Amino acid sequence: QVQLLESGGGLVQPGGFLRLSCAASGTIFSGNAMGWFRQAPGKERELVARIFSSGTIFYVDSVKGRFTISRDSVKNTVELQMNSLKPEDTAVYYCNYYIVRIRKNYWGQGTQVTVSS
């Protein structure tokens, strides 16, 4: 089992920034990916950014150039630096841990990000 503890999130004005952090504990598998999904009201959950243990990084097009994902493989943490935030970034953000070999996902509880003036 993998447990995920998130921190960060909150209310910010358009153009502002926030930083999300997530720490994984429990049984840590090699060949994994850590990342962030988000779900806005009335919409499906979408992958925002993901970083694999190999170093490969993925961003959804809408956040490219604004968000940066990073991880510390020793501490089993992942962070998402979100800059130039827009109202459309408003959503609940979920930390995700993915075991590639068995295609299994673990989820954090979610943290609210609200971008509004």
Side-chain angles (χ1 to χ4, degrees):
Q1 294 293 324
V2 177
Q3 294 79 44
L4 301 172
L5 182 61
E6 302 155 337
S7 61
L11 173 65
V12 64
Q13 293 185 342
F17 63 91
L18 285 172
R19 189 175 186 88
L20 304 181
S21 298
C22 176
S25 61
T27 303
I28 302 301
F29 297 83
S30 61
N32 62 69
M34 296 187 73
W36 296 90
F37 284 67
R38 67 186 178 187
Q39 188 166 19
K43 295 187 177 181
E44 294 187 354
R45 190 174 296 190
E46 68 168 349
L47 174 59
V48 176
R50 172 174 270 173
I51 180 168
F52 289 80
S53 53
S54 64
T56 300
I57 293 175
F58 167 85
Y59 293 103
V60 69
D61 285 346
S62 60
V63 308
K64 286 180 179 178
R66 300 188 297 121
F67 291 11
T68 302
I69 191 169
S70 60
R71 69 182 289 173
D72 184 325
S73 296
V74 174
K75 297 180 179 179
N76 295 310
T77 58
V78 63
E79 295 190 330
L80 185 68
Q81 178 67 41
M82 305 184 292
N83 297 330
S84 302
L85 282 162
K86 304 176 181 180
E88 50 264 43
D89 295 318
T90 296
V92 177
Y93 284 69
Y94 296 91
C95 181
N96 171 265
Y97 183 96
Y98 178 64
I99 303 170
V100 176
R101 180 175 59 84
I102 59 174
R103 300 182 182 181
K104 184 173 179 64
N105 285 289
Y106 291 91
W107 299 95
Q109 294 291 325
T111 184
Q112 178 70 45
V113 171
T114 302
V115 185
S116 175
S117 56

